[in-house]
């Protein structure tokens, strides 16, 4: 929950609402007393880019976040109840775990059949065309089964990552008993998914539970 001022904290978080590019840090007056860090669309002055989203300085960014976070904290109990229900729906892996075990069993069966085919070919004078055709079919089955296994495993890991993300969000809300008056890096990291800057509609914070606040 430490207080923090640093460029890396906001990398790949602030997005231009017009062209979809990330905002990057720029330093103004780097060598004098008026030095300050501002963030603006990385494509703002690129050829063909006509987005008119404004730049935002770090102090403004932090103040807007404090306001948005406090709106979130003011509805803490309802949001906590909703996110716990949503987490169980979105992050449940029981059926995928069963599918993964079935996929492992299928891979083991095919692998064993391939080993049997290799052993038999080394002991018996088989028709090599037939053997190669059979082995190619087993290989194709294995490749397909492995792809299915990888897909299921990726889905499980994705759901586990989302669960950890939600848990971090929940922990932050549960620890926060009141409103905040200062910017804290830990709260920012735990809560914010994206901050979208628009030319006409201002700034929108998208939190990791899907809750959105316009500032």
């Amino acid at each position: 929950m430490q207080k923090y001022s640093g460029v890396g904290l906001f990398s790949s978080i602030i997005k231009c609402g017009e062209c979809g590019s990330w905002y990057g840090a720029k330093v103004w007056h780097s060598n004098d007393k008026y030095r300050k860090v501002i963030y603006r669309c990385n494509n703002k002055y690129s050829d063909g880019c006509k987005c008119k989203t404004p730049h935002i300085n770090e102090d403004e960014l932090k103040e807007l976040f404090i306001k948005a976070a406090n709106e979130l904290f003011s509805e803490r109990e309802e949001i906590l109840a909703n996110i716990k229900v949503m987490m169980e729906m979105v992050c449940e892996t029981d059926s995928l775990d069963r599918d993964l075990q079935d996929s492992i069993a299928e891979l083991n069966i095919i692998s064993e059949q391939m080993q049997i085919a290799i052993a038999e070919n080394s002991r018996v004078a088989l028709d090599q065309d037939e053997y190669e055709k059979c082995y190619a079919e087993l290989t194709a089955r294995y490749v397909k089964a492995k792809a299915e296994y990888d897909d299921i495993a990726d889905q499980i890991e994705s759901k586990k990552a989302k669960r950890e993300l939600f848990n971090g969000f929940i922990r932050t809300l549960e620890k926060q008993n009141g409103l905040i008056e200062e910017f804290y890096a830990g709260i920012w990291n735990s809560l914010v998914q994206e901050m979208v800057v628009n030319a006409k509609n201002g700034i929108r914070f998208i939190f990791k539970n899907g809750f959105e606040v316009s500032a």
Side-chain angles (χ1 to χ4, degrees):
M1 296 299 183
Q2 74 275 18
K3 287 179 285 186
Y4 181 86
S5 175
V7 172
L9 189 65
F10 306 113
S11 297
S12 300
I13 295 291
I14 309 171
K15 180 178 284 188
C16 175
E18 290 196 15
C19 72
S21 297
W22 295 115
Y23 266 48
K26 315 295 176 186
V27 179
W28 284 0
H29 301 285
S30 59
N31 296 318
D32 60 40
K33 64 180 181 179
Y34 300 106
R35 183 186 187 279
K36 66 177 178 179
V37 177
I38 65 102
Y39 296 84
R40 74 169 183 232
C41 174
N42 286 327
N43 278 349
K44 190 171 183 67
Y45 297 111
S46 299
D47 292 341
C49 183
K50 298 181 179 180
C51 64
K52 298 178 181 180
T53 46
H55 71 265
I56 181 170
N57 69 50
E58 193 167 297
D59 290 337
E60 291 172 335
L61 190 160
K62 291 177 180 179
E63 287 299 319
L64 289 169
F65 170 69
I66 290 169
K67 178 182 176 182
N70 282 335
E71 185 171 336
L72 189 76
F73 293 145
S74 68
E75 302 179 38
R76 187 182 71 156
E77 297 306 322
E78 181 179 354
I79 288 173
L80 279 171
N82 289 339
I83 196 172
K84 288 176 181 178
V85 171
M86 182 171 64
M87 183 172 68
E88 292 308 312
M89 294 173 59
V90 172
C91 303
E92 184 272 327
T93 62
D94 289 348
S95 60
L96 285 172
D97 289 335
R98 290 192 293 271
D99 290 343
L100 190 69
Q101 293 305 311
D102 291 342
S103 184
I104 292 172
E106 177 70 8
L107 284 170
N108 288 337
I109 289 170
I110 299 171
S111 180
E112 184 177 352
Q113 290 175 343
M114 293 172 77
Q115 293 300 320
I116 291 171
I118 292 170
E120 184 178 7
N121 189 54
S122 67
R123 294 194 313 268
V124 181
L126 299 176
D127 183 300
Q128 290 305 294
D129 289 339
E130 287 297 322
Y131 166 74
E132 289 177 5
K133 179 182 177 182
C134 176
Y135 195 82
E137 290 174 352
L138 288 170
T139 300
R141 283 178 56 197
Y142 188 91
V143 169
K144 180 181 178 182
K146 182 62 166 59
E148 292 173 354
Y149 168 87
D150 289 341
D151 180 59
I152 297 168
D154 287 345
Q155 290 183 58
I156 291 172
E157 289 306 309
S158 176
K159 286 178 177 287
K160 286 181 178 179
K162 287 179 182 177
R163 180 177 289 277
E164 187 56 36
L165 182 150
F166 283 139
N167 280 331
F169 188 95
I170 289 169
R171 285 193 296 269
T172 299
L173 258 64
E174 288 178 336
K175 289 178 181 178
Q176 190 62 38
N177 295 320
L179 304 182
I180 57 173
E181 297 180 358
E182 297 180 78
F183 178 88
Y184 292 94
I187 294 178
W188 169 272
N189 282 331
S190 298
L191 299 184
V192 178
Q193 183 73 30
E194 281 185 356
M195 172 182 163
V196 181
V197 183
N198 294 288
K200 296 181 179 180
N201 300 322
I203 290 171
R204 183 164 45 97
F205 287 91
I206 303 173
F207 293 102
K208 291 180 179 179
N209 68 329
F211 192 85
E212 296 187 13
V213 174
S214 296

